[in-house]
Amino acid sequence: MTTLTGKLLIADPSGHQMMLRSGSIRISEGRIHDVVLENDEEAITAADSFRPLVPGDRIICPGFIDAHLHLSQFGIIGAHGLPLLKWLDQVTFPAERAWEDVNFARQKTRLVLANLLSFGTTSFCAYTTVHHTSAMAALEEASQLGFRGMIGQVLMDRNAPPELCRETNQLIDEAAETLARFPSTSEMAAAVTPRFAITCSPQLLESAGTLAAEHNAAIQTHLAETEQECARVAELFDSARYVDVYQQAKLLTPQTILGHGVHLDARDRETLATHGAIIAHCPTANQFLGSGQMNRQALNEARVKVVLGSDIGAGYERSMVSVARAAIETAASLGNTPPSAASAWYDITAGAADALGWDDVGQLRKGYRADVVVIQPDFTTQMQGHDSIIDPLSQLMFAWDDRWVKQTYLRGQSVWGG
Ligand code: GUN
Ligand code: ZN
């Protein structure tokens, strides 16, 4: 039995936010055996009087959930100055060609997974490339290490370099193989992943929708990230609304994760809400490519579920804490009521798990997977003897330093740091 003691980041029963409570968790056989909280007076929430974090404090946190990233794009982080479609053509597609070599892909996947653990990410929804054996290798590696989440082989049959396009039927057969080996019930499952409407023929989109339905599988794709992309989709699909292109192909389901959704109107949001599809908000990537700022408040009001993604490599922050902070900043710069830090912490833990329908991660809770991050903030400038007026969860998020992640556990095993 492993015991971890400190300030536990736990879900606030009163709403969609997290709070810190002193206590400990005990881990046994990969699961959280129990959670023991100290007395109630120790509660620290945004609403309470704040108990400042002090040097030596240790935060015990559920592992972070990154709901949108590209395993094949860690090497291109930082290719700045291009809008999406040029960035894809000039930077991304050339880089993805390297995944043709399965040994290269496996090696890179291992490095990327280790890297994610060092940032506290223990669950994710990821894309690979169009290469089938490499997608299988990535699934094998992530599954073996004990990650929770999904990985999809990218499906493309047009408007990409010929080396990265495949016959429609071949893509569907290969995607079916990934699902046969890593079904939707697996802790690391395959996801049906048509890249986006521009690089997929109508037949491919439709077959992908059918395949996902047959296997009760999750779907990942990109939606309305830039205006230029939306205009191109209208050209390719007879002026149809972008959202309707996916809807007609039966690609909008409660298990669909749509990257971005920056350029949507009220009707689009209603369609997404009706089908229960989820938007993966990727604020750092939107900033980096100059795609626009996603109006999360409008999505919330329309009751569209939203999760957060790093979208590496258009996104440049590997830490989900930094992505959550960027989401607060985006909301503020749009003049919307920014989410509280307590709710931003929820977004990358319990909230993401809830939206994705994962009932075994995202919280420090009895019976849940022991995917845990130990954080040791280093507030060397903390004034002693003064009660801080700063919400500790806000302080932790805005003063965040990736070096504060001291140890990461997957299924109760220490897999990074310590
Ligand atoms: N749209 C289609 N493919 C991609 C991708 O790889 N990254 C981003 N940010 N948007 C996309
Ligand atoms: Zn993406």
Side-chain angles (χ1 to χ4, degrees):
M1 189 93 73
T2 306
T3 303
L4 297 174
T5 302
K7 295 213 156 108
L8 311 185
L9 187 79
I10 59 171
D12 181 343
S14 69
H16 293 169
Q17 55 182 8
M18 304 300 275
M19 59 185 189
L20 290 172
R21 297 281 299 272
S22 295
S24 56
I25 58 168
R26 287 193 301 165
I27 297 171
S28 164
E29 292 176 8
R31 302 261 157 189
I32 296 175
H33 182 74
D34 57 10
V35 180
V36 181
L37 299 180
E38 284 178 16
N39 48 21
D40 281 349
E41 289 77 8
E42 289 248 29
I44 305 170
T45 72
D48 275 329
S49 61
F50 304 124
R51 185 176 296 257
L53 292 169
V54 293
D57 269 346
R58 226 161 68 118
I59 319 284
I60 313 295
C61 191
F64 304 133
I65 301 174
D66 185 342
H68 182 111
L69 80 159
H70 299 257
L71 298 178
S72 54
Q73 294 179 12
F74 276 64
I76 59 167
I77 293 174
H80 195 233
L82 296 169
L84 172 67
L85 299 183
K86 285 198 172 127
W87 174 81
L88 285 172
D89 281 342
Q90 295 175 26
V91 180
T92 315
F93 290 152
E96 291 194 359
R97 285 184 59 182
W99 274 48
E100 193 179 348
D101 175 351
V102 65
N103 295 323
F104 176 89
R106 192 181 287 280
Q107 195 54 33
K108 287 292 173 204
T109 301
R110 284 187 186 146
L111 291 172
V112 161
L113 295 178
N115 199 234
L116 288 175
L117 292 172
S118 76
F119 286 91
T121 296
T122 54
S123 301
F124 59 77
C125 307
Y127 294 52
T128 56
T129 62
V130 76
H131 308 97
H132 177 63
T133 49
S134 295
M136 281 294 207
L139 275 158
E140 283 162 15
E141 293 296 325
S143 173
Q144 234 163 42
L145 266 165
F147 277 89
R148 177 76 167 93
M150 63 182 80
I151 294 177
Q153 175 184 340
V154 165
L155 311 180
M156 296 200 279
D157 65 354
R158 65 171 179 175
N159 296 326
E163 306 81 25
L164 293 179
C165 289
R166 301 284 183 273
E167 289 292 325
T168 314
N169 291 340
Q170 180 187 339
L171 289 168
I172 296 300
D173 290 348
E174 290 175 350
E177 276 177 41
T178 64
L179 290 166
R181 178 101 181 270
F182 297 93
S184 59
T185 47
S186 327
E187 295 190 37
M188 177 52 62
V192 176
T193 308
R195 185 175 209 124
F196 67 157
I198 294 179
T199 57
C200 300
S201 65
Q203 296 80 356
L204 177 56
L205 293 178
E206 201 181 312
S207 304
T210 306
L211 181 71
E214 282 167 4
H215 291 261
N216 190 29
I219 296 167
Q220 307 180 101
T221 188
H222 295 89
L223 170 71
E225 183 175 359
T226 72
E227 283 175 341
Q228 204 188 14
E229 169 201 357
C230 294
R232 186 85 181 101
V233 170
E235 272 169 28
L236 289 166
F237 290 87
D238 228 2
S239 302
R241 281 171 173 271
Y242 201 160
V243 168
D244 292 352
V245 169
Y246 290 154
Q247 192 246 313
Q248 272 155 26
K250 301 205 167 34
L251 286 167
L252 299 184
T253 76
Q255 294 193 78
T256 301
I257 306 158
L258 300 153
H260 305 288
V262 177
H263 302 280
L264 301 172
D265 66 15
R267 210 180 108 189
D268 298 330
R269 289 190 283 269
E270 197 184 314
T271 306
L272 294 175
T274 303
H275 293 275
I278 306 163
I279 290 283
H281 175 28
C282 307
T284 51
N286 296 336
Q287 172 74 23
F288 186 78
L289 295 177
S291 307
Q293 290 175 308
M294 200 207 76
N295 190 339
R296 181 175 181 180
Q297 192 167 302
L299 286 168
N300 287 347
E301 284 164 6
R303 305 212 167 279
V304 179
K305 287 184 187 174
V306 177
V307 290
L308 298 184
S310 68
D311 194 23
I312 292 161
Y316 49 88
E317 290 285 6
R318 286 162 288 176
S319 163
M320 286 311 294
V321 181
S322 300
V323 171
R325 182 173 65 196
I328 295 177
E329 289 163 352
T330 296
S333 70
L334 282 168
N336 291 339
T337 309
S340 65
S343 75
W345 282 103
Y346 178 81
D347 281 338
I348 59 172
T349 54
D354 183 46
L356 295 165
W358 296 344
D359 58 6
D360 56 348
V361 290
Q363 293 195 49
L364 302 178
R365 200 161 155 182
K366 185 179 169 66
Y368 274 42
R369 280 171 53 119
D371 296 347
V372 182
V373 186
V374 178
I375 297 164
Q376 191 130 26
D378 164 30
F379 290 119
T380 45
T381 56
Q382 181 77 40
M383 283 193 297
Q384 297 290 344
H386 289 267
D387 270 352
S388 171
I389 53 155
I390 304 171
D391 167 6
L393 285 181
S394 181
Q395 189 176 24
L396 202 58
M397 183 161 277
F398 281 90
W400 182 255
D401 185 326
D402 294 322
R403 290 170 295 185
W404 294 352
V405 173
K406 296 297 178 202
Q407 196 165 13
T408 305
Y409 291 80
L410 267 184
R411 293 188 305 202
Q413 298 296 314
S414 174
V415 283
W416 188 84

